[in-house]
Amino acid sequence: MTDAVFFVLAGVIVASALGMVQARNLFHAGLALITCFLGVAGIYVLLKSPFIAALQVLIYAGAIAVILLFGFMLTHHVMHTDPHKRFTQQAAGLGAALAMGLVLVVTIAVSPWNKGAQAVPVSDLGSLGQQLLTTYLLPFELASAFLLAALVGAIMIARKEEGPPPA
Amino acid sequence: MEYAYVALFLLGGLAFVGATLTLNRFVTSPHRPSASKLLAYECGEPPIGEAWVQYNARYYLFAMMFVLFDVEAAFVIPWAVGFKTMSLDLGILPLLEMLIFLSLLALALVYAWRKGALEWV
């Protein structure tokens, strides 16, 4: 059963990832990316990490996808450019993909995989919250300061562009 | 397997959309597209230009507001779950730490409000 679900999810992830790379329309690529994110959330559920799965949906399929799609829609003429056209971009894409692949392969190769039969530790949301407020207190508070800065920046950008009326 | 419901819901949703679209083929009139039939319907007005335009930068603000409170929720949930045990160990500290976190984000909201960013001009 778990195997079947895994292969269905893996199929969705690989298909949507290919769809994203192949899409001629940047907006469609973004939608395919969201499908890919949702498939990865399903993998987290299979790994018995429901909170990580929820975060995957909330942060990746939610926040990051929204920023990405808004970025496309707010950028001048980006919807009409074909990302596959220019050779320099293709070369840059190939280089980035190869570098990323190298990092992944090396990480998988050197990671000490636990192949024993001991129980997988249950994800404990409460202790995660406790660590956030003790060990990782500074990053935790800094996160809210960063979010504040991001919003102030967004207001500045939106105020500055007092050109044509909202579409 | 409590996620069986999620899978069931997903399949049900896909089946509903698929069935509706398939049924549409049989129920509605024959498929004979023409230029004026394929025109985007804008209350009877002929549409100007196309939909792939550059949108106003003001929309970025709403995206950013969503991200702000989206990430806030992601941080508050583990805090809320572990709050009881943390309070037994640390007293009022967890509450104060979260109040600092939330007050910074509240400051962002107040700033946006005061700047009139929540108003639609």
Side-chain angles (χ1 to χ4, degrees):
Chain A
M1 175 66 189
T2 311
D3 280 356
V5 174
F6 173 80
F7 282 115
V8 169
L9 285 173
V12 167
I13 292 170
V14 172
S16 57
L18 282 176
M20 187 217 161
V21 177
Q22 290 294 320
R24 293 271 150 185
N25 185 321
L26 271 179
F27 200 85
H28 295 165
L31 293 182
L33 183 67
I34 296 176
T35 313
C36 188
F37 283 157
L38 291 178
V40 173
I43 294 286
Y44 289 142
V45 170
L46 271 191
L47 293 173
K48 294 195 169 38
S49 310
F51 184 63
I52 303 294
L55 281 190
Q56 172 78 14
V57 173
L58 212 69
I59 304 295
Y60 281 84
I64 288 181
V66 161
I67 288 291
L68 201 70
L69 293 183
F70 270 67
F72 293 157
M73 288 162 68
L74 296 172
T75 310
H76 191 54
H77 277 307
V78 75
M79 300 309 300
H80 294 290
T81 48
D82 190 341
H84 301 267
K85 243 185 228 161
R86 263 168 270 161
F87 175 74
T88 47
Q89 284 174 325
Q90 283 181 336
L94 185 68
L98 283 178
M100 190 67 210
L102 188 71
V103 168
L104 285 178
V105 166
V106 168
T107 310
I108 291 169
V110 301
S111 292
W113 295 100
N114 207 342
K115 287 175 184 142
Q118 64 262 67
V120 179
V122 183
S123 70
D124 181 10
L125 206 47
S127 70
L128 178 70
Q130 184 151 15
Q131 286 190 359
L132 264 184
L133 291 193
T134 50
T135 320
Y136 302 106
L137 180 61
L138 189 64
F140 170 69
E141 301 290 1
L142 273 182
S144 88
F146 274 135
L147 287 171
L148 173 63
L151 189 80
V152 172
I155 291 174
M156 285 300 165
I157 290 172
R159 294 284 97 177
K160 205 160 57 176
E161 299 237 346
E162 292 291 29
Chain B
M1 196 65 182
E2 66 244 73
Y3 290 97
Y5 289 109
V6 180
L8 213 62
F9 192 80
L10 203 69
L11 288 178
L14 286 175
F16 181 75
V17 172
T20 314
L21 288 178
T22 316
L23 207 65
N24 210 15
R25 281 259 170 252
F26 294 113
V27 173
T28 52
S29 56
H31 185 65
R32 279 193 218 107
S34 68
S36 53
K37 275 187 194 169
L38 291 174
L39 215 60
Y41 182 73
E42 288 186 6
C43 301
E45 290 289 321
I48 301 166
E50 50 179 342
W52 295 123
V53 294
Q54 182 191 2
Y55 285 79
N56 195 289
R58 192 168 287 153
Y59 288 103
Y60 180 63
L61 196 60
F62 292 93
M64 213 55 231
M65 295 278 266
F66 164 68
V67 168
L68 187 83
F69 295 106
D70 203 40
V71 175
E72 176 181 1
F75 277 111
V76 171
I77 292 164
W79 170 83
V81 171
F83 183 71
K84 199 171 178 186
T85 41
M86 272 189 286
S87 297
L88 290 177
D89 293 345
L90 304 163
I92 201 163
L93 211 58
L95 184 64
L96 288 179
E97 286 169 356
M98 184 45 88
L99 277 179
I100 296 171
F101 181 81
L102 289 183
S103 60
L104 275 173
L105 290 177
L107 196 66
L109 187 61
V110 168
Y111 180 78
W113 198 344
R114 285 296 303 274
K115 282 279 173 185
L118 301 179
E119 311 265 330
W120 191 256
V121 196

